[in-house]
Amino acid sequence: MPNIDDSQNDARRAGERLVGAHVREDPFAAAFKATRMPMIVTDPKQDDNPIIFCNAAFQRLTGYSNDELLGKNCRLLQGPATSRTTVDRIREAVSAGKDISVDILNYRKDGSTFWNALFVSPVRDDDGSIVYFFASQLDFTNIKSKEAELAAARHLAEAEVAERTDDLQESLAARTLLVHEVDHRVKNNLATMASIVKMQVRLTEDEGQRHALLSVLNRIEAISTVQRKLFTTNDVARFDIGDFARELATDLVEAIKRDDIRLTMDVSPVLVPAVKATPLSLIVNELVGDAVRRGLADGGGKIHIVVRRLNGHFLIRVEDTSEPVEPDPVSAELGRRMLEASASQVGAAIEKRREGRRTIVDVTLLLENKDTPH
């Protein structure tokens, strides 16, 4: 094995030959020595490919003197945290005589670390043989530290967002559970009320009283339908009045068991805040119920229901075509007051008109931005 001093002397002489091959005024030699970018040259013809020349910038970067570097392999800059994978990549590129550019964690003489943007390139003679390896370095520790700080800040922010998201999801789940529980209890209470009214109907012999009780029962069941839908939907904050109108109208018409009543619908989904569900359901119930009470008791006819959006509003229309029959005045007055009270509660406008055998009732309501589904 060659003596360390002999190896260093061989490296020194090789470096002197490299620089000596250029006259003193040669810009190459002057630039190589004076540049602020750390640079070295190694000699692959010597054992272990030692450093044969380094400039002052490289010495300042590593903390080693020229004498400490000459004759040494660049591995003296490696340490415990240096990536073995990156070292293997450099070794493979040098063995294959190829250029390579990598980022590698290196160590100074005092043990401190720095991130090195390393570029290694073979230098070939006229015959294509590799005579030297040239390497330049760039200390980008500050940039790497900033990247690490940004990454840490990003991870911290992501963790904070994830934690807050979990909190919000838990809060929403708890709120949804509470709303469902309240809806469930309201639904049960309404079912109890309906059972009491039904019992009273069975015990009442006076036909007028029976009629009034059935009218009350009808409205309780309409509200029960709303609560059932709110209880079974995932979105407890909004209510589809179009879906409700379709179900309620179908149930009302089927309940009277009349083949001569034809029900048609033009119903689109219209989502409204859950707080408006009950008054709007009562509006639909009164409109359809009034169509049945007003003219379809004897001669049959048609009922057409429309629920759809209309230029920032939504429209509920119930249209019936029949031979009008004068309804019971008490029932008619109660229906009118219920309709007006429910419309007033949600700020809806009511328009009723007669066109021969057709009666058309329109209820229009402004759709606020928060009412619009996203």
Side-chain angles (χ1 to χ4, degrees):
M1 178 173 291
N3 184 278
I4 294 178
D5 290 338
D6 291 341
S7 297
Q8 189 175 41
N9 288 332
D10 290 343
R12 188 186 302 278
R13 284 191 292 272
E16 289 172 352
R17 286 196 301 273
L18 172 65
V19 177
H22 299 268
V23 296
R24 184 177 299 274
E25 294 80 11
D26 188 347
F28 166 79
F32 192 94
K33 292 179 179 179
T35 182
R36 290 183 294 177
M37 174 172 283
M39 295 180 180
I40 63 171
V41 177
T42 68
D43 186 354
K45 297 187 295 298
Q46 295 190 42
D47 183 54
D48 207 24
N49 192 19
I51 298 171
I52 63 171
F53 188 85
C54 64
N55 64 0
F58 186 81
Q59 296 169 44
R60 288 192 296 271
L61 172 63
T62 64
Y64 291 100
S65 67
N66 187 64
D67 289 340
E68 291 172 316
L69 291 167
L70 292 182
K72 303 292 179 61
N73 186 278
C74 294
R75 75 174 63 89
L76 89 161
L77 300 180
Q78 298 172 19
T82 303
S83 168
R84 295 299 98 190
T85 301
T86 304
V87 171
D88 290 342
R89 288 181 57 203
I90 297 171
R91 182 183 299 112
E92 291 167 2
V94 170
S95 297
K98 296 181 178 179
D99 294 346
I100 185 170
S101 177
V102 295
D103 296 338
I104 186 169
L105 182 69
N106 282 158
Y107 287 74
R108 298 184 180 89
K109 180 181 178 179
D110 63 6
S112 61
T113 60
F114 65 96
W115 278 98
N116 184 3
L118 173 66
F119 175 75
V120 180
S121 179
V123 179
R124 302 177 186 273
D125 61 15
D126 293 339
D127 297 329
S129 299
I130 298 175
V131 291
Y132 301 112
F133 276 97
F134 169 79
S136 65
Q137 295 80 21
L138 176 64
D139 180 2
F140 71 107
T141 304
N142 289 339
I143 297 175
K144 197 73 174 180
S145 297
K146 292 297 183 185
E147 289 178 353
E149 290 174 8
L150 288 172
R154 184 178 67 253
H155 291 319
L156 182 63
E158 289 172 350
E160 186 74 13
V161 169
E163 183 179 351
R164 292 293 172 265
T165 300
D166 289 342
D167 290 344
L168 288 173
Q169 288 176 338
E170 290 178 5
S171 176
L172 179 59
R175 177 190 173 202
T176 301
L177 182 63
L178 178 61
V179 171
H180 276 317
E181 178 61 24
V182 171
D183 281 342
H184 182 63
R185 295 188 182 189
V186 171
K187 177 174 170 287
N188 287 342
N189 289 338
L190 288 170
T192 301
M193 292 170 58
S195 297
I196 294 172
V197 174
K198 289 177 181 178
M199 188 181 301
Q200 185 65 44
V201 169
R202 288 196 294 270
L203 296 175
T204 300
E205 297 181 356
D206 182 272
E207 191 60 30
Q209 292 181 8
R210 283 173 56 83
H211 188 78
L213 288 170
L214 288 172
S215 176
V216 171
L217 179 61
N218 168 264
R219 292 170 175 94
I220 291 175
E221 288 178 340
I223 298 174
S224 295
T225 301
V226 173
Q227 294 302 315
R228 175 174 54 78
K229 284 188 168 295
L230 287 174
F231 180 65
T232 55
T233 184
N234 290 326
D235 188 354
V236 297
R238 296 185 298 179
F239 181 78
D240 186 352
I241 192 65
D243 180 61
F244 170 81
R246 181 185 294 104
E247 180 176 333
L248 183 134
T250 301
D251 289 347
L252 282 177
V253 173
E254 288 181 352
I256 60 178
K257 302 183 185 304
R258 292 276 300 275
D259 295 335
D260 57 351
I261 297 177
R262 295 181 297 282
L263 174 66
T264 58
M265 286 182 275
D266 176 12
V267 175
S268 303
V270 179
L271 297 178
V272 298
V275 294
K276 296 182 179 179
T278 296
L280 287 173
S281 67
L282 288 174
I283 287 174
V284 174
N285 185 70
E286 294 306 319
L287 292 180
V288 177
D290 187 49
V292 173
R293 289 190 298 268
R294 181 175 52 251
L296 302 179
D298 296 323
K302 300 177 182 178
I303 298 177
H304 183 62
I305 298 175
V306 177
V307 178
R308 64 166 175 252
R309 295 176 179 277
L310 187 66
N311 297 326
H313 294 70
F314 83 81
L315 167 71
I316 301 173
R317 170 178 293 169
V318 176
E319 174 184 332
D320 68 85
T321 304
S322 65
E323 289 297 334
V325 175
E326 192 66 29
D328 173 69
V330 176
S331 297
E333 180 62 16
L334 176 60
R336 184 186 68 79
R337 292 190 181 188
M338 287 288 297
L339 182 61
E340 289 180 354
S342 298
S344 175
Q345 190 173 345
V346 294
I350 304 172
E351 180 185 355
K352 181 177 180 180
R353 61 187 184 275
R354 296 285 294 272
E355 298 175 358
R357 297 175 63 245
R358 294 171 59 214
T359 301
I360 305 167
V361 183
D362 288 345
V363 177
T364 54
L365 175 67
L366 177 66
L367 270 178
E368 303 173 14
N369 290 335
K370 62 183 179 181
D371 296 348
T372 305
H374 299 287

